[in-house]
Amino acid sequence: MKKLVSLLLVLTLVFSLTACGDKGNSDPTTAAPNDGNTDTTTAAPEATTVAAAEKPAKITITCDGTVMTEDNAGTDFYKQLEEELGIELVFERPDHAGYKDYCATLFGAGSDNLPDVVLLSADNYATYASLGYLWDMTEAWENSEVKNSGRVSEMGLELFENSKVVGPDGEYHLYGFSAVQGNGCMTYVKQSWLDAAGITTLPKTYAEYYDMLVKMKEAKKAEFVVTANGLIGNEAPYINYLPEFYQDAYPEFYQKDGVWVDGFTEDAMKAAMQRMADAYAAGLLDTEIINRSTKDCRTLFEEDKFGVFTYWAGKWCGNLIKNIQTLNKYPGAETDTIVAMAPIAEVGQYLNRIAPQWCITTNCKNPEGVFEYYLQKMLDGGRAQLLWEYGAEGTHWSYENGTFELKPLPSTGNTGSYNHIDGLLKLGEYRSDFNGGVDIGLLTASTETMVSAQEVFNANSKMAPSIKKTDAVNENAATIWTVRKSVIADVVMGKMTVEEGMAKYESECGAAVEEILASLN
């Protein structure tokens, strides 16, 4: 009964966050840079493996729009993957925008209705693992061919270790598999806005950053200079769209010096809210920021309504430049560009989020076989990985006479770039016996600008805080997050002071916070 109550409360949280969340974000989750020309494959150490599992005849899979969809000939990808794996694959593809809601309903219907495999966001992954709906793959991963192959990057090994969450036994285990790093957001500045303000050096401190915003607003006579998808994100790591303002604040429960704390109550969070309030009062932050979706932000950026945008690293740097120049919505747009900023001193490092996880549910009758013959094949360093990276051969790409070509997507007619695995973010390199260990499509699917931006991010990022879910967290999270969002909005918009906001939080959430911290510690 307690498990059911916890799940119902989790569903309430999921629906409430979705209702006020991103209205148009379909950003693909995307994986250590490789220039595509260098064989970085190392000799594989002798693998420590367990007895081979039975190969499943059929696997049912639920996933979102980060996997090639049917309107873009996803069925061709399914077919070629089936042929490569020798397994019948049945994909359930709910609408990408409503995927969280779909998963909430799916798990709410009970374990008997779950597919064999489901792709989950990091926070939902931690929740459903704690409630006992996911299979523990710790041993399978440790003894897997791919982990012991030498092909997985150091960042990949770190990501798998950091992806361990608390299960129903209260201990940390691995319940998910990812073929890509979670990636994160970095700050981009329009060159035309820098030029207008007479700025030749990117800011290295918050004082310099704030001064840059003031000069830009004045030079461009802009209504605002910075906007984002809300004042705080709807999923971990929450602060990634406004890093310069949040700095060392983390408004969620996280582990500090071995002890779990509520980051929302710390002085760092109070300072972050005051910085945002000051910028809002000065007209630097968008007055409509709480209503913006990421799609809104991209459109406004393309229209030159603001000049500083924190968004996903790597591919999106190139995508934003391409959109600005080709859409040409303002004078000079065809030659304008953006510059990727290293984090300012007070931020230190951007946050690399915990990647969405491929999970095997407890309803799966042969989890060992699904792990061995489906999940780990995403990083097989060969044909299966190539399909996960670029889609179906002949439909989404071709490789003839040493030339790799990406095909137009049926839904738009525009040239595609990648399937589920972004080559810039992949966690495993190709085998030396497969195309000489070279990622044959990487330099076609990516530009030098994208590679450069990803390198800046990777060199200046750290893993986001780990997630731990307990019954107390699941039962109180919806209420706490509603109050947190309300306090942040009221303080930033000048409706109450920081002190008044924190008093409200203590009054309405203090008892629940104490209960949660007791359970976490």
Side-chain angles (χ1 to χ4, degrees):
M1 176 59 72
K2 190 166 187 179
K3 177 177 175 180
L4 176 59
V5 171
S6 293
L7 181 56
L8 290 174
L9 287 163
V10 168
L11 303 190
T12 301
L13 173 61
V14 170
F15 289 130
S16 66
L17 290 183
T18 302
C20 59
D22 183 5
K23 307 173 189 65
N25 182 16
S26 57
D27 304 336
T29 302
T30 52
N34 179 347
D35 62 9
N37 296 315
T38 305
D39 181 2
T40 58
T41 307
T42 56
E46 183 177 351
T48 303
T49 58
V50 293
E54 179 184 355
K55 188 174 185 177
K58 176 180 177 180
I59 301 175
T60 56
I61 304 149
T62 297
C63 60
D64 63 12
T66 62
V67 177
M68 198 70 74
T69 52
E70 282 84 351
D71 64 344
N72 280 320
T75 50
D76 289 358
F77 161 64
Y78 306 159
K79 181 180 179 181
Q80 291 188 20
L81 187 62
E82 281 185 330
E83 293 171 351
E84 175 63 25
L85 301 181
I87 302 170
E88 179 185 357
L89 304 175
V90 180
F91 281 86
E92 180 72 25
R93 304 301 305 276
D95 179 65
H96 183 86
Y99 188 70
K100 275 196 171 185
D101 292 354
Y102 182 91
C103 287
T105 303
L106 184 68
F107 280 87
S111 59
D112 292 343
N113 299 287
L114 295 174
D116 295 318
V117 178
V118 61
L119 182 63
L120 295 173
S121 63
D123 50 350
N124 280 354
Y125 159 63
T127 296
Y128 297 133
S130 73
L131 294 174
Y133 286 107
L134 308 180
W135 179 67
D136 178 1
M137 62 179 71
T138 311
E139 184 177 355
W141 164 248
E142 290 299 329
N143 294 297
S144 67
E145 183 278 331
V146 65
K147 180 182 186 295
N148 294 282
S149 68
R151 296 193 309 274
V152 180
S153 65
E154 289 186 14
M155 181 178 288
L157 296 174
E158 181 184 1
L159 185 147
F160 273 93
E161 187 63 29
N162 203 54
S163 294
K164 291 180 179 178
V165 294
V166 171
D169 63 354
E171 301 295 328
Y172 281 92
H173 305 279
L174 183 67
Y175 295 92
F177 185 100
S178 182
V180 295
Q181 73 179 64
N183 204 16
C185 295
M186 63 190 306
T187 299
Y188 300 117
V189 185
K190 269 195 178 177
Q191 186 63 54
S192 60
W193 286 56
L194 288 169
D195 293 342
I199 298 171
T200 57
T201 304
L202 291 173
K204 294 181 174 57
T205 66
Y206 181 71
E208 292 175 357
Y209 172 79
Y210 191 91
D211 183 60
M212 178 184 75
L213 301 185
V214 171
K215 289 179 178 177
M216 284 181 168
K217 180 177 175 63
E218 180 179 346
K220 296 288 289 186
K221 296 189 171 30
E223 184 179 350
F224 59 91
V225 188
V226 179
T227 194
N229 174 30
L231 290 166
I232 188 168
N234 288 317
E235 61 182 26
Y238 308 107
I239 62 173
N240 49 331
Y241 289 125
L242 292 169
E244 289 81 15
F245 295 103
Y246 278 99
Q247 297 181 13
D248 56 344
Y250 195 71
E252 173 62 308
F253 299 102
Y254 74 103
Q255 203 168 30
K256 181 178 182 180
D257 300 326
V259 177
W260 286 85
V261 298
D262 180 4
F264 196 85
T265 64
E266 294 186 310
D267 289 342
M269 184 61 199
K270 299 174 186 176
M273 286 194 288
Q274 188 61 60
R275 279 189 292 270
M276 287 189 285
D278 293 341
Y280 187 90
L284 303 176
L285 270 181
D286 180 11
T287 56
E288 295 296 321
I289 190 170
I290 62 172
N291 299 317
R292 300 294 190 197
S293 69
T294 52
K295 184 177 180 181
D296 294 335
C297 296
R298 292 195 301 267
T299 299
L300 291 169
F301 200 54
E302 292 159 5
E303 294 174 347
D304 210 34
K305 301 299 184 185
F306 68 105
V308 180
F309 188 27
T310 301
Y311 208 54
W312 299 100
K315 281 285 196 300
W316 270 105
C317 181
N319 290 345
L320 290 171
I321 293 173
K322 179 181 178 181
N323 290 346
I324 289 169
Q325 294 180 348
T326 58
L327 294 175
N328 195 16
K329 293 183 178 180
Y330 60 92
E334 71 276 6
T335 58
D336 205 356
T337 190
I338 62 177
V339 183
M341 264 180 55
I344 60 173
E346 292 86 350
V347 172
Q349 292 176 295
Y350 293 124
L351 293 179
N352 195 338
R353 69 172 178 166
I354 299 173
Q357 302 287 323
W358 289 96
C359 304
I360 300 173
T361 73
T362 50
N363 193 39
C364 179
K365 302 302 186 289
N366 179 15
E368 294 86 358
V370 171
F371 179 91
E372 182 170 338
Y373 295 100
Y374 176 72
L375 286 190
Q376 75 161 342
K377 293 298 182 181
M378 292 180 185
L379 292 175
D380 72 342
R383 173 75 176 176
Q385 182 171 331
L386 192 67
L387 293 172
W388 278 107
E389 191 169 347
Y390 297 111
E393 183 175 9
T395 301
H396 301 116
W397 59 276
S398 64
Y399 187 59
E400 299 176 0
N401 301 319
T403 300
F404 183 92
E405 180 184 1
L406 288 164
K407 304 291 188 180
L409 294 174
S411 66
T412 63
N414 297 327
T415 303
S417 57
Y418 59 92
N419 184 11
H420 178 66
I421 298 177
D422 178 347
L424 292 176
L425 301 172
K426 63 180 178 289
L427 299 182
E429 301 298 342
Y430 283 91
R431 304 190 310 264
S432 58
D433 65 342
F434 185 81
N435 293 325
V438 174
D439 185 338
I440 57 174
L442 184 63
L443 295 183
T444 303
S446 308
T447 65
E448 290 184 8
T449 300
M450 295 174 180
V451 173
S452 176
Q454 193 64 59
E455 288 175 344
V456 171
F457 176 82
N458 287 349
N460 295 279
S461 64
K462 63 181 179 181
M463 289 302 300
S466 60
I467 299 171
K468 182 177 180 179
K469 295 295 181 76
T470 64
D471 286 341
V473 173
N474 294 333
E475 291 164 10
N476 293 288
T479 298
I480 288 176
W481 267 108
T482 297
V483 177
R484 284 173 179 167
K485 285 174 172 282
S486 173
V487 168
I488 293 171
D490 286 346
V491 170
V492 173
M493 294 179 182
K495 296 179 181 179
M496 62 174 59
T497 65
V498 171
E499 291 72 22
E500 290 169 341
M502 299 312 291
K504 175 183 177 180
Y505 184 68
E506 171 60 29
S507 173
E508 298 185 19
C509 300
V513 168
E514 288 185 13
E515 181 184 355
I516 287 172
L517 291 177
S519 71
L520 291 173
N521 287 310

